[in-house]
Amino acid sequence: MNKPLMAKATAVWLVDNTTLSFKQIADFCGMHELEVQGIADGDVAVGVKGFDPVASNQLDVSEIEKGQKDPRHKLKLKRNPAAEGEEKRRGPRYTPLSKRQDRPAAILWLVKFHPELADSQIAKLVGTTKPTIASIRDRTHWNIQNIQPIDPVALGLCRQSELDAAVQKAAKRKAVEGGAMTDDERRKLLSTETSLAMSDEPRLPSSIAGLENFSLTRDEESEAQNDKLDADSFFNLPEADDDEDEDH
């Protein structure tokens, strides 16, 4: 076991209660550095309650102090027998009756904050069916107006390690398919080195859309035509008759 129990909740606690760098927390919790930054900004792990790794005997206070003094120090996870065997689960998932009414809220949270997850992954995490997931994606669920997104880990429908494994699997699939094109997808799915190496797509303001081929340069033909123009040609004045001038 190379990650603490409830890795994302542990990261939330470390962000709120220590001055460790994002990279230190990410390495300790097995997460992406930008995901930890998202936790600090309030964009990731919304509603997740912090989990104290010191109280759960997973991290020593001395390790935190060393890490705060030296940004290059890597936190060492203490051996926790309770964490052994957490990564593997066999057999179909059973959702207790008392938690089944929470599944729509968990599905909406996964669809909103992890759109890269496939329906089969969400069904496995929450213990639901694909038609239910599709109805929430399409907002055709009969109770969609009253559903609020809630982290399935906080609801107890899945473990943090299972959610992290599903997200990492989806990230690898996206990288192979070449589907991570937006900045948001880069932060969620790609490594820091890959994300920073990719160039941003050029964007034009909507007010000048359609003027991509507009040019301010003057070609030789237009310059030659402009040289032939004079003031009289603009007003199309008729030539004056000498007899009329004498009469007036």
Side-chain angles (χ1 to χ4, degrees):
M1 185 70 181
N2 57 359
K3 293 193 302 183
L5 282 170
M6 301 180 64
K8 186 170 291 187
T10 300
V12 171
W13 189 92
L14 291 173
V15 168
D16 293 339
N17 296 276
T18 69
T19 58
L20 295 169
S21 67
F22 295 153
K23 180 172 177 54
Q24 288 175 309
I25 298 175
D27 291 341
F28 178 71
C29 298
M31 299 171 60
H32 195 288
E33 184 177 351
L34 295 178
E35 190 174 5
V36 178
Q37 182 178 351
I39 293 175
D41 295 337
D43 299 329
V44 180
V46 179
V48 177
K49 184 179 180 180
F51 184 71
D52 189 350
V54 178
S56 59
N57 197 31
Q58 299 184 92
L59 186 64
D60 288 331
V61 177
S62 59
E63 281 292 307
I64 296 178
E65 294 175 350
K66 291 179 182 178
Q68 293 179 145
K69 293 178 181 178
D70 183 8
R72 295 173 296 179
H73 177 73
K74 291 187 177 181
L75 303 177
K76 295 180 181 179
L77 177 67
K78 295 175 64 177
R79 180 179 179 274
N80 189 351
E84 295 180 358
E86 185 197 2
E87 293 291 340
K88 297 182 180 180
R89 177 189 292 269
R90 296 182 179 179
R93 179 182 299 279
Y94 171 76
T95 304
L97 293 174
S98 59
K99 295 183 179 180
R100 291 183 183 180
Q101 70 273 10
D102 296 330
R103 285 186 295 192
I107 296 171
L108 183 58
W109 189 92
L110 292 172
V111 169
K112 181 177 181 180
F113 294 103
H114 290 288
E116 70 276 9
L117 291 175
D119 289 355
S120 58
Q121 291 178 299
I122 297 176
K124 185 177 180 181
L125 286 171
V126 181
T128 185
T129 61
K130 291 184 179 181
T132 303
I133 299 172
S135 66
I136 292 179
R137 281 188 186 276
D138 302 337
R139 302 192 67 83
T140 56
H141 191 275
W142 66 274
N143 196 32
I144 191 64
Q145 298 298 331
N146 299 321
I147 300 176
Q148 297 295 328
I150 303 177
D151 191 335
V153 177
L155 293 173
L157 294 174
C158 67
R159 296 191 177 114
Q160 185 66 53
S161 59
E162 294 170 336
L163 176 58
D164 293 340
V167 171
Q168 291 174 5
K169 185 177 180 180
K172 293 179 181 179
R173 185 182 69 252
K174 276 282 188 180
V176 172
E177 296 175 354
M181 297 299 295
T182 65
D183 294 337
D184 194 29
E185 287 177 334
R186 290 177 191 171
R187 288 193 297 270
K188 289 182 178 179
L189 304 181
L190 301 180
S191 63
T192 304
E193 293 79 6
T194 305
S195 178
L196 295 177
M198 295 178 67
S199 59
D200 294 333
E201 296 179 358
R203 299 178 181 177
L204 287 176
S206 58
S207 58
I208 63 172
L211 302 179
E212 296 85 351
N213 299 324
F214 180 78
S215 175
L216 296 177
T217 59
R218 300 172 59 186
D219 53 16
E220 296 180 357
E221 182 178 355
S222 61
E223 289 181 355
Q225 293 177 354
N226 292 336
D227 292 339
K228 296 179 180 179
L229 298 177
D230 54 16
D232 293 338
S233 63
F234 281 104
F235 296 101
N236 295 324
L237 297 177
E239 296 182 358
D241 193 356
D242 295 339
D243 295 338
E244 292 180 1
D245 292 340
E246 293 177 357
D247 294 339
H248 288 291

